Amino acid sequence: MSFAQGAMPMLQEELIFVGTCDISGHVRGKAFPAAELPARAQKGVGWTHSNLMMSAFGPIFDTPFGTGGDLMIVPDPAAAARVDFADGTPPEHIMLGDLRETDGQAWTCCPRDFLRRGEAALAAAGYSMIAAFEQEFVLSGADAFPGAAYSLAALRRQGRFAEVFVAALRAAGCEPDSFLAEYGDRQFEVTVKPAGPLAAADRGVIVREMARGAAWRLGQRAGFSPMPNPGGAGNGVHVHMSLRDAADAPVMREASAPYGLAAPARAFCAGILAHLPALTAITAPSPVSYLRLTPNRWAPTEMSVAVQDRGAALRVCPIFAAADEEAKAAQCHVEYRVCDAASSPYLALGCLLFAGADGLRRELDLPPPGVPAPTLPRSLAAALDALETSEAAAAWLGPVLREAMLRHKRAEIAHVGETDPASLCARYAEVY
């Protein structure tokens, strides 16, 4: 019997977990006694280069780094969450951190530093951004029944999870926005308020972990696999983005322009479309991701932009009940839909910033509405080929991170082999 179930309390010391969200999309790191935080603020916890190459399933299938070398995961106080669920279990005390060399310099493969570099590329083009991650998952403990999508009945039948989860998000500083029963069986969706790129990605990671933590305490499981079963609905991660100018004013909207987007917004989006085959390898980075990116699943299949169309890769989102043009400008944003929870939010958002900044630098424009769009890559292997041949992506990632990502994902493809769709979905449902 656990303490939460009424057993006698035992001697305990609070631990802090410091970690990073790596190429596999998993949060990995180490815990240390909370009392040691001042000493850990500079030296963090020990890590090694090949730890980045741990697969979604655990083992390292391939690595360019070998067995040598040492790194640090250094906690960032701005990316901390401490949530006491008040049920007798230890608090969830998480600090996300940076991968650094032993001399304190950022490691070239640090996911958070990659996002910072993407943010710097956007700043060099004259803009900044706020962003938010909208995430879908399956809750094992919810009752399933026909006609449950978006219903009050489905919300009621998930029990206490939603209230515990939303309270945990608020305690973690993630500013909850909405929670709903989604289209799929036992599927739910959560959104939080937007923030700057690094904070938004930190929140994206913490939201997943708070969902898992809340579910575990209730004897349930929150699963974020891109495709829980081949006949059902997929779980996406939709990245909402809004450009700001140097004065932090919104610059997305121009009502009379194509798509209702101003020139900077169209250039940013055009940069994403121009690089989308390579980006797909980073934002939809598992073999099972491509079972979701198929027709009739409310997921994109083409490299398109459209107004209020959930089948587009880039969706221009609606504006609700805005009293004046200023309020409309503040709401205007786009949603990138070719993403799922097999990706690291840092790598996903970082590559979108790099691609969008390239569009701004080159003053690209979107194709006219109604022009047929090319299809997205149909497999992870095809997306990786596009990533490998992209000179732009090679410059963004650098040679070390690029090689690590290509080898990591190709080894994952080899590991699952020619697994049939049902078995493939089951394997990924176990690990996400």
mmCIF file of all heavy atoms in Angstrom, residues 63 66 88 100 131 133 141 151 168 170 181 190 216 250 301 366 389 410:
data_model
loop_
_atom_site.group_PDB
_atom_site.id
_atom_site.type_symbol
_atom_site.label_atom_id
_atom_site.label_comp_id
_atom_site.label_asym_id
_atom_site.label_seq_id
_atom_site.Cartn_x
_atom_site.Cartn_y
_atom_site.Cartn_z
ATOM 1 N N THR A 63 25.488 5.531 -33.099
ATOM 2 C CA THR A 63 25.955 6.802 -32.552
ATOM 3 C C THR A 63 27.243 7.233 -33.235
ATOM 4 O O THR A 63 28.131 6.403 -33.458
ATOM 5 C CB THR A 63 26.181 6.729 -31.026
ATOM 6 O OG1 THR A 63 26.721 7.985 -30.582
ATOM 7 C CG2 THR A 63 27.116 5.608 -30.630
ATOM 8 N N GLY A 66 30.428 7.498 -30.035
ATOM 9 C CA GLY A 66 31.139 6.458 -29.306
ATOM 10 C C GLY A 66 30.866 6.505 -27.815
ATOM 11 O O GLY A 66 29.840 7.009 -27.359
ATOM 12 N N GLY A 88 -0.043 12.823 -1.309
ATOM 13 C CA GLY A 88 0.907 11.991 -0.591
ATOM 14 C C GLY A 88 2.081 11.534 -1.420
ATOM 15 O O GLY A 88 3.058 11.015 -0.873
ATOM 16 N N ARG A 100 25.652 21.312 -22.103
ATOM 17 C CA ARG A 100 26.855 22.134 -22.213
ATOM 18 C C ARG A 100 28.110 21.274 -22.119
ATOM 19 O O ARG A 100 28.118 20.214 -21.491
ATOM 20 C CB ARG A 100 26.896 23.195 -21.105
ATOM 21 C CG ARG A 100 25.751 24.198 -21.165
ATOM 22 C CD ARG A 100 25.924 25.266 -20.106
ATOM 23 N NE ARG A 100 24.777 26.168 -20.056
ATOM 24 C CZ ARG A 100 24.631 27.131 -19.159
ATOM 25 N NH1 ARG A 100 25.555 27.309 -18.225
ATOM 26 N NH2 ARG A 100 23.558 27.899 -19.187
ATOM 27 N N ALA A 131 4.450 31.887 -29.490
ATOM 28 C CA ALA A 131 4.014 30.584 -29.987
ATOM 29 C C ALA A 131 3.349 29.797 -28.868
ATOM 30 O O ALA A 131 3.524 30.094 -27.682
ATOM 31 C CB ALA A 131 5.206 29.802 -30.553
ATOM 32 N N PHE A 133 1.901 25.456 -28.163
ATOM 33 C CA PHE A 133 1.743 24.082 -28.644
ATOM 34 C C PHE A 133 0.374 23.553 -28.206
ATOM 35 O O PHE A 133 0.055 23.552 -27.020
ATOM 36 C CB PHE A 133 2.852 23.192 -28.084
ATOM 37 C CG PHE A 133 4.211 23.458 -28.661
ATOM 38 C CD1 PHE A 133 4.971 24.528 -28.228
ATOM 39 C CD2 PHE A 133 4.726 22.635 -29.654
ATOM 40 C CE1 PHE A 133 6.231 24.786 -28.769
ATOM 41 C CE2 PHE A 133 5.969 22.881 -30.201
ATOM 42 C CZ PHE A 133 6.723 23.952 -29.754
ATOM 43 N N GLY A 141 -7.697 5.773 -18.924
ATOM 44 C CA GLY A 141 -8.740 5.559 -17.930
ATOM 45 C C GLY A 141 -10.097 6.104 -18.294
ATOM 46 O O GLY A 141 -11.065 5.902 -17.547
ATOM 47 N N SER A 151 -17.948 15.956 -26.645
ATOM 48 C CA SER A 151 -19.177 15.967 -25.859
ATOM 49 C C SER A 151 -18.931 16.218 -24.377
ATOM 50 O O SER A 151 -17.859 15.942 -23.841
ATOM 51 C CB SER A 151 -19.915 14.635 -26.018
ATOM 52 O OG SER A 151 -19.205 13.590 -25.370
ATOM 53 N N ALA A 168 -2.506 21.209 -12.233
ATOM 54 C CA ALA A 168 -1.059 20.996 -12.301
ATOM 55 C C ALA A 168 -0.415 21.940 -13.301
ATOM 56 O O ALA A 168 0.678 22.482 -13.056
ATOM 57 C CB ALA A 168 -0.770 19.542 -12.676
ATOM 58 N N ARG A 170 -1.437 24.934 -14.151
ATOM 59 C CA ARG A 170 -1.384 26.276 -13.563
ATOM 60 C C ARG A 170 -0.282 26.362 -12.507
ATOM 61 O O ARG A 170 0.460 27.345 -12.448
ATOM 62 C CB ARG A 170 -2.740 26.655 -12.972
ATOM 63 C CG ARG A 170 -2.838 28.147 -12.654
ATOM 64 C CD ARG A 170 -4.237 28.530 -12.178
ATOM 65 N NE ARG A 170 -5.281 28.224 -13.129
ATOM 66 C CZ ARG A 170 -5.554 28.962 -14.204
ATOM 67 N NH1 ARG A 170 -4.823 30.028 -14.483
ATOM 68 N NH2 ARG A 170 -6.551 28.617 -14.999
ATOM 69 N N ALA A 181 -12.579 17.050 -25.090
ATOM 70 C CA ALA A 181 -12.636 15.698 -25.649
ATOM 71 C C ALA A 181 -12.536 15.821 -27.158
ATOM 72 O O ALA A 181 -13.358 16.486 -27.796
ATOM 73 C CB ALA A 181 -13.936 15.021 -25.248
ATOM 74 N N VAL A 190 -5.249 19.618 -25.274
ATOM 75 C CA VAL A 190 -4.965 20.678 -24.308
ATOM 76 C C VAL A 190 -4.204 21.800 -24.998
ATOM 77 O O VAL A 190 -3.356 21.554 -25.863
ATOM 78 C CB VAL A 190 -4.160 20.135 -23.106
ATOM 79 C CG1 VAL A 190 -2.818 19.563 -23.535
ATOM 80 C CG2 VAL A 190 -3.983 21.214 -22.040
ATOM 81 N N TRP A 216 -0.802 9.193 -14.060
ATOM 82 C CA TRP A 216 -0.191 8.140 -13.245
ATOM 83 C C TRP A 216 -0.757 8.152 -11.831
ATOM 84 O O TRP A 216 -1.040 7.089 -11.251
ATOM 85 C CB TRP A 216 1.319 8.327 -13.224
ATOM 86 C CG TRP A 216 2.021 7.385 -12.287
ATOM 87 C CD1 TRP A 216 2.274 6.063 -12.481
ATOM 88 C CD2 TRP A 216 2.527 7.705 -10.981
ATOM 89 N NE1 TRP A 216 2.920 5.532 -11.388
ATOM 90 C CE2 TRP A 216 3.091 6.513 -10.453
ATOM 91 C CE3 TRP A 216 2.569 8.863 -10.223
ATOM 92 C CZ2 TRP A 216 3.667 6.477 -9.193
ATOM 93 C CZ3 TRP A 216 3.162 8.819 -8.965
ATOM 94 C CH2 TRP A 216 3.694 7.640 -8.463
ATOM 95 N N PRO A 250 2.033 43.115 -33.259
ATOM 96 C CA PRO A 250 1.694 42.055 -34.218
ATOM 97 C C PRO A 250 1.761 42.559 -35.651
ATOM 98 O O PRO A 250 1.367 43.684 -35.948
ATOM 99 C CB PRO A 250 0.271 41.660 -33.825
ATOM 100 C CG PRO A 250 -0.275 42.841 -33.093
ATOM 101 C CD PRO A 250 0.892 43.477 -32.410
ATOM 102 N N THR A 301 -1.851 16.403 -45.731
ATOM 103 C CA THR A 301 -1.211 15.483 -46.665
ATOM 104 C C THR A 301 -0.469 16.234 -47.763
ATOM 105 O O THR A 301 0.255 15.617 -48.540
ATOM 106 C CB THR A 301 -2.244 14.548 -47.322
ATOM 107 O OG1 THR A 301 -3.221 15.335 -48.004
ATOM 108 C CG2 THR A 301 -2.934 13.688 -46.271
ATOM 109 N N LEU A 366 3.680 33.520 -50.884
ATOM 110 C CA LEU A 366 2.899 32.295 -50.973
ATOM 111 C C LEU A 366 2.296 32.138 -52.361
ATOM 112 O O LEU A 366 2.028 33.140 -53.038
ATOM 113 C CB LEU A 366 1.780 32.314 -49.928
ATOM 114 C CG LEU A 366 2.219 32.215 -48.468
ATOM 115 C CD1 LEU A 366 1.037 32.493 -47.547
ATOM 116 C CD2 LEU A 366 2.814 30.853 -48.180
ATOM 117 N N THR A 389 19.600 16.211 -48.140
ATOM 118 C CA THR A 389 19.981 16.960 -49.336
ATOM 119 C C THR A 389 19.715 18.457 -49.219
ATOM 120 O O THR A 389 20.035 19.211 -50.139
ATOM 121 C CB THR A 389 19.234 16.420 -50.572
ATOM 122 O OG1 THR A 389 17.821 16.496 -50.344
ATOM 123 C CG2 THR A 389 19.626 14.979 -50.849
ATOM 124 N N ARG A 410 17.404 6.959 -38.980
ATOM 125 C CA ARG A 410 17.558 5.816 -39.895
ATOM 126 C C ARG A 410 17.745 4.514 -39.121
ATOM 127 O O ARG A 410 17.272 3.453 -39.549
ATOM 128 C CB ARG A 410 18.707 6.083 -40.857
ATOM 129 C CG ARG A 410 18.295 7.070 -41.958
ATOM 130 C CD ARG A 410 19.402 7.454 -42.880
ATOM 131 N NE ARG A 410 18.866 8.214 -44.012
ATOM 132 C CZ ARG A 410 19.549 9.114 -44.696
ATOM 133 N NH1 ARG A 410 20.823 9.372 -44.390
ATOM 134 N NH2 ARG A 410 18.993 9.759 -45.708
#
